[in-house]
Amino acid sequence: MIVAENLVKEFRVAERGPGLIGSLSTLFSREHRLVRAVSGVSFEIPAGTKAAYIGANGAGKSTTVKMLTGIMTPTSGRALVAGLEPYRERRRNAANIGVVFGQRSQLWWDLPVPDSFRILRRVHEIPDAVYRRNMALFQELLDLDALGNTPVRQLSLGQRMRAEVAASLVHDPKVVFLDEPTVGLDLVLKEAVRRLVNHVNAELGTTVLLTSHDMGDITAICDRVLVVNHGEVVHRGTMHELLRTADTRAVVFEHHGGPDEAISLIGKGLEGASARLVDGGRIRVEYPVARWTSRQVMGFLLDHFDVTDCVAPEPDLEMVLRRIYAGRVAA
Amino acid sequence: MNASALRRYTPFAASSLQSLLQYRSTFLINALTATTAVGVQVFLWRAVYGGRPGGLPGGYDLPRLTTYVLLAQVLGLMQASRVDEEVSGEVQRGDIAVSLLRPVSYPLARFAAGLPVSLTNATLVAVPVVALYALLLPLTAPTWGGMLLFAVSAALSLVIGFGVNLLVGLAGFVTTNIWGVRVVKDSVVAFFAGQVVPLALMPGPLAAVARVLPFQGMVDGPLRLLLGRYDGAAGAAVILTAQLGWAAALCALAALAWRGAVRRVEVLGG
């Protein structure tokens, strides 16, 4: 559904020195520096997938999304969204996609929210049945009626974001791009937005591309992950595969016996692993995957302790990402 | 373009009108500005006439000139559809990104949004101002034929004005000092359109320059048709054809500029 082939975007940025002198000197000489925001990104997202596009700030996420939505033309390379090159066939592409930019409003600033929806209905020529079905869904999940007849410019960020997410989905797009869709939302509304996105994906097969710094969004919505760093895709696969790239794992267990001697025993017996006491008297053992297999660690624990309870939590996504950003894992 | 495709643009006109009506004081201010501008010019011309009992060249007697000056302001108001301001503002704020996400032609949507601005200015501002001066000063009553030609010509002048304003708005892609560009545009266009002085009263070389520019079709052309300052049917046809040609040329130019501009959209951040 979404294909990127060697997408490159370069910007010319005027160089200026610091301070007043620097600003003044640009009056006479202007030097440009070429900034490569996206350098040869390639990926493919099948129809009906909910993919997360993750990267640190400045990784080129937004720029890539702008090329996929037809706002920007790539310097080189090619993108296809639902079979169209977005920047070449912007208007036809716009009919296929829905977009939420967390920092920008697509609603009519001076008008109340219901008016924006009436306009979108006409602009996208949405059939009556579809419009009614979607408005009922938005009402049920996001309580749009509560926004009343206040002009958008007077709404709070949280109120506005609910309407933004709904507006991106009102025309049953084939693909929806969500750039920080839960910015400014409380936990209940975040949950509602995630439910809405999952619902349209399940019911209509809408392809989702999400960029977010909110790990909760990513884990609650996405089944596939693309991680970009310095403008390149450094990891692609399922969420599960990404988590498996973690280089340390953990086991948390409970046993009959004192914690202190257990911790020191683990320290001696499992070289490179670390053990510490966590809440409720349980012991958390973290071990490097390169040194120990899970089987070895479990075996060691069962051999040495009278284990009463044991859990092996999923590796933490945030930790995995931190390592990728720091360049320690090249997948 | 068929009717169903055009219907996509009506919500842009409707929403623009709705937003407009939220800022009602704008109309009052526009009315005051127009009233003052007409007043100043009319009394200036009266002083000029006072020194020239024989009247002015180009067949402009005082009532006719007063009518010209008054309606020139009205046309100026109608053409001030804020398109230049809105387009350059969107480009600079980066909101153009959102406009590009809609499945419509951006220039056409802008035209649709500008139309209610022109028409509300024409009705809510121009009608009272014209009525006021009609009571105060002697004006030339136009013929029915003149009014008909004027209506067609005024509609064309709106398209010319839109083309000019869109081009100026698109300058926002090139420079951040769009305010300066607009100030220059406003005065240059007003002058060469004949909003200040009819082309017939301009010094020869200046009038020659004005005649080859597109702007004369914005004020001077429609008002010559209204006041009968042309040579027969052929003369009227020349004025309308020139307007039509310029309207088409400016729209084509704006479309071309837009296509070029959209390729270099660089919305950073966000």
Side-chain angles (χ1 to χ4, degrees), chain A residues 9-13 62-63 66 69-73 87 90-92 94-95 97 99 101 103-108 110-112 115 118-120 122-125 151 153 179, chain B residues 1 4-5 7-12 14-16 18-19 22-23 93-108 258 262-270:
Chain A
K9 183 71 189 179
E10 288 170 341
F11 296 107
R12 267 157 56 92
V13 179
S62 287
T63 308
K66 280 176 189 132
T69 49
I71 296 169
M72 281 189 193
T73 309
Y87 36 87
R90 179 185 67 77
R91 283 161 61 183
R92 282 180 62 202
I97 63 169
V99 184
F101 286 130
Q103 353 271 346
R104 266 181 222 294
S105 180
Q106 59 182 311
L107 304 167
W108 274 256
D110 288 321
L111 305 183
D115 287 342
R118 275 193 281 273
I119 297 172
L120 288 172
R122 308 267 303 269
V123 168
H124 283 286
E125 294 176 341
R153 64 183 139 83
D179 191 358
Chain B
M1 181 175 293
S4 110
R7 262 210 308 277
R8 288 191 175 198
Y9 295 91
T10 51
F12 289 94
S15 63
S16 153
Q18 239 180 309
S19 314
Q22 293 203 358
Y23 302 99
R93 289 190 304 271
D95 291 344
I96 190 88
V98 173
S99 296
L100 288 172
L101 296 175
R102 311 206 192 283
V104 293
S105 146
Y106 182 75
L108 271 182
W258 166 248
V262 106
R263 267 192 218 114
R264 38 180 298 179
V265 169
E266 290 188 357
V267 185
L268 294 167

Side-chain angles (χ1 to χ4, degrees), chain A residues 235-298:
Chain A
H235 176 89
R236 74 194 75 207
T238 60
M239 185 64 102
H240 190 64
E241 284 164 356
L242 174 66
L243 294 177
R244 279 221 317 247
T245 65
D247 56 1
T248 56
R249 293 291 154 80
V251 172
V252 181
F253 72 101
E254 223 171 305
H255 75 296
H256 290 301
D260 294 339
E261 49 268 42
I263 288 173
S264 72
L265 186 58
I266 292 166
K268 276 187 227 118
L270 292 168
E271 195 198 354
S274 70
R276 65 192 158 87
L277 199 60
V278 291
D279 337 314
R282 304 201 295 181
I283 297 170
R284 182 182 174 98
V285 186
E286 288 183 4
Y287 55 95
V289 178
R291 179 76 181 77
W292 300 104
T293 65
S294 301
R295 189 192 172 94
Q296 286 172 315
V297 174
M298 296 300 278

Side-chain angles (χ1 to χ4, degrees), chain B:
Chain B
M1 181 175 293
N2 58 33
S4 110
L6 262 176
R7 262 210 308 277
R8 288 191 175 198
Y9 295 91
T10 51
F12 289 94
S15 63
S16 153
L17 181 62
Q18 239 180 309
S19 314
L20 205 62
L21 296 175
Q22 293 203 358
Y23 302 99
R24 282 167 303 178
S25 55
T26 321
F27 298 114
L28 192 67
I29 294 167
N30 280 350
L32 284 174
T33 317
T35 311
T36 319
V38 172
V40 168
Q41 286 197 49
V42 164
F43 291 105
L44 190 73
W45 281 112
R46 295 194 141 226
V48 173
Y49 266 91
R52 294 191 56 155
L56 290 170
Y60 281 99
D61 55 16
L62 194 52
R64 193 167 267 152
L65 193 64
T66 312
T67 313
Y68 184 99
V69 165
L70 179 61
L71 292 177
Q73 284 300 319
V74 171
L75 285 170
L77 259 178
M78 284 176 66
Q79 286 146 12
S81 53
R82 297 213 306 239
V83 170
D84 50 348
E85 198 179 326
E86 306 257 343
V87 172
S88 57
E90 272 200 3
V91 171
Q92 270 167 29
R93 289 190 304 271
D95 291 344
I96 190 88
V98 173
S99 296
L100 288 172
L101 296 175
R102 311 206 192 283
V104 293
S105 146
Y106 182 75
L108 271 182
R110 272 287 151 218
F111 183 70
L115 216 50
V117 182
S118 296
L119 297 183
T120 35
N121 267 331
T123 46
L124 294 183
V125 180
V127 170
V129 173
V130 170
L132 174 73
Y133 278 101
L135 290 175
L136 291 178
L137 299 168
L139 299 176
T140 302
T143 62
W144 286 109
M147 283 201 270
L148 189 69
L149 287 173
F150 175 75
V152 176
S153 184
L156 285 171
S157 83
L158 272 189
V159 180
I160 298 178
F162 170 75
V164 171
N165 281 327
L166 183 59
L167 282 169
V168 170
L170 291 178
F173 280 101
V174 192
T175 170
T176 42
N177 183 11
I178 193 70
W179 181 82
V181 177
R182 278 177 45 215
V183 168
V184 172
K185 180 268 297 182
D186 279 344
S187 45
V188 168
V189 168
F191 183 80
F192 285 108
Q195 200 180 319
V196 189
V197 183
L199 260 57
L201 301 186
M202 285 183 186
L206 219 48
V209 173
R211 262 180 245 292
V212 297
L213 291 176
F215 314 121
Q216 40 94 13
M218 293 168 74
V219 175
D220 193 75
L223 289 180
R224 270 162 67 205
L225 290 173
L226 181 76
L227 300 171
R229 311 311 308 154
Y230 55 88
D231 292 330
V238 167
I239 295 175
L240 286 174
T241 315
Q243 272 191 306
L244 200 62
W246 275 119
L250 283 167
C251 286
L253 194 63
L256 213 63
W258 166 248
R259 289 180 63 168
V262 106
R263 267 192 218 114
R264 38 180 298 179
V265 169
E266 290 188 357
V267 185
L268 294 167

